[in-house]
Amino acid sequence: MILDIVRLIGGLALILYGANWLTDGASAIARRLGVSDLVIGLTIVALGTSTPELVISVLAAVGGNAPMAVGNVVGSNIFNVLAIIGIVAIVKPIPICRSVMGEQLPWVLLTAAIVVATGFSPWLDGTPAVVSRVEGIILLLLLIMFMRRTLLSARENPGSEAEGNARQLKVWLACLMIAGGLGALIFGGDIFVDGASAIASLMGVSDAVIGLTIVAAGTSLPELATSVVAARKGSPDMAVGNVIGSCVLNIVLILGTAATITPLSFGGVGSLDMAVLGLSALLFWLMARYGGTRIITRLEGALLFAVYVGYIAVLVLQNS
């Protein structure tokens, strides 16, 4: 137990340091290239912080544990919106720019709707909930469309050199900070998940709850740390872009790649998880569109986080 607690604390420390390095390095690169913090968050930062989910889901698919791959993606996206956006908004209200509202948030709704429709298929036509290889390839095609649209947006909406209050860094040092930050985030997240899972097992928590909560939240810790640090350092667009990019990439890249390798059965990922996934995407869009004049306020952030806590409580009660 003591060793597991040390892993927990050590992993958290690596995650926090990694988030600082990654945010500073990415902001410096964005300023030098004239690319907005939003685009950097949607691409470089989102791809980097989604690496733990990609590794775990692909390995789970190859190892024949498809439900873990699906549960990791679904749980991570729920955590991304309800916990990360909620916590970031509590720390500092999040302004939502027009391009996010019109171009990026619809992708969150679309990709969530695809997974929810697949997850509810047994209720509609009696067929098992499975992401087939064909659907995996379609998701990868959507990935190409998303990245193309994001890169076009970078040309249409270039960033200011002063954006995000980024530190002046040499290019090689900024790249080194990005690489080192990603490494610390991934390694720290792995240590944290190992420690948390061991403690949960000793406390008698079921594997289903561990998969949908600790593993999903643990692999999303890089997104949480990066988004909170970015918001506190005056780069709210990077914080939002990181969450949106991670939500979309979790489905089109990670689920698409894993399903292309082998069809993915939903297994123990049930109707409650699908409902919360759809609700989280809808709440994100509604708060960004109608709440606080395109600002997600502290109160709205607290509401999102409260929904996540309620979801976890129901999961624990169902599996206790």
Side-chain angles (χ1 to χ4, degrees):
M1 174 70 89
I2 295 177
L3 179 59
D4 296 323
I5 293 174
V6 171
R7 288 180 183 175
L8 208 65
I9 296 172
L12 184 60
L14 280 173
I15 287 167
L16 294 175
Y17 277 110
N20 272 288
W21 297 335
L22 177 62
T23 302
D24 286 345
S27 294
I29 291 291
R31 182 165 69 173
R32 284 187 174 274
L33 296 179
V35 178
S36 69
D37 279 348
L38 174 62
V39 173
I40 291 292
L42 285 165
T43 54
I44 296 174
V45 177
L47 280 168
T49 56
S50 292
T51 301
E53 289 96 329
L54 177 61
V55 171
I56 288 176
S57 293
V58 169
L59 289 178
V62 171
N65 194 350
M68 178 178 287
V70 177
N72 183 35
V73 167
V74 171
S76 293
N77 273 23
I78 291 172
F79 185 86
N80 281 346
V81 174
L82 298 181
I84 296 179
I85 291 295
I87 290 171
V88 171
I90 291 170
V91 172
K92 190 172 184 178
I94 307 171
I96 305 295
C97 65
R98 188 176 298 275
S99 64
V100 168
M101 192 65 244
E103 296 181 16
Q104 276 79 44
L105 273 179
W107 279 95
V108 176
L109 288 170
L110 171 64
T111 52
I114 291 172
V115 177
V116 170
T118 304
F120 275 118
S121 60
W123 296 77
L124 300 175
D125 54 18
T127 60
V130 176
V131 183
S132 67
R133 281 194 175 94
V134 172
E135 290 167 334
I137 293 171
I138 292 173
L139 289 174
L140 291 177
L141 292 176
L142 287 175
L143 167 66
I144 296 172
M145 293 173 60
F146 173 72
M147 296 305 292
R148 179 177 179 274
R149 182 57 224 162
T150 300
L151 294 176
L152 286 175
S153 176
R155 293 182 180 179
E156 296 167 2
N157 303 288
S160 164
E161 288 199 355
E163 188 174 11
N165 299 319
R167 292 165 51 191
Q168 280 283 8
L169 297 172
K170 294 182 178 179
V171 174
W172 68 267
L173 180 56
C175 291
L176 185 62
M177 290 180 71
I178 291 173
L182 284 173
L185 285 168
I186 295 167
F187 185 57
D190 187 50
I191 294 174
F192 183 93
V193 170
D194 286 345
S197 297
I199 292 171
S201 296
L202 289 172
M203 295 174 64
V205 179
S206 69
D207 289 340
V209 174
I210 291 173
L212 277 166
T213 56
I214 294 174
V215 174
T219 55
S220 295
L221 281 177
E223 285 95 330
L224 173 60
T226 303
S227 292
V228 170
V229 169
R232 287 180 61 86
K233 291 189 173 184
S235 301
D237 284 349
M238 184 178 292
V240 173
N242 178 32
V243 170
I244 292 175
S246 294
C247 283
V248 176
L249 292 177
N250 280 349
I251 294 173
V252 297
L253 171 61
I254 297 172
L255 207 60
T257 300
T260 301
I261 294 170
T262 182
L264 301 177
S265 168
F266 275 54
V269 181
S271 55
L272 171 65
D273 310 302
M274 293 299 98
V276 175
L277 176 65
L279 176 65
S280 64
L282 183 60
L283 283 175
F284 192 9
W285 183 81
L286 287 174
M287 288 181 178
R289 178 69 177 83
Y290 297 107
T293 61
R294 288 187 179 159
I295 294 176
I296 299 181
T297 64
R298 285 190 171 91
L299 179 61
E300 291 166 343
L303 175 60
L304 289 173
F305 189 66
V307 173
Y308 183 74
V309 172
Y311 164 66
I312 296 300
V314 172
L315 271 185
V316 171
L317 290 173
Q318 283 184 343
N319 291 273
S320 59

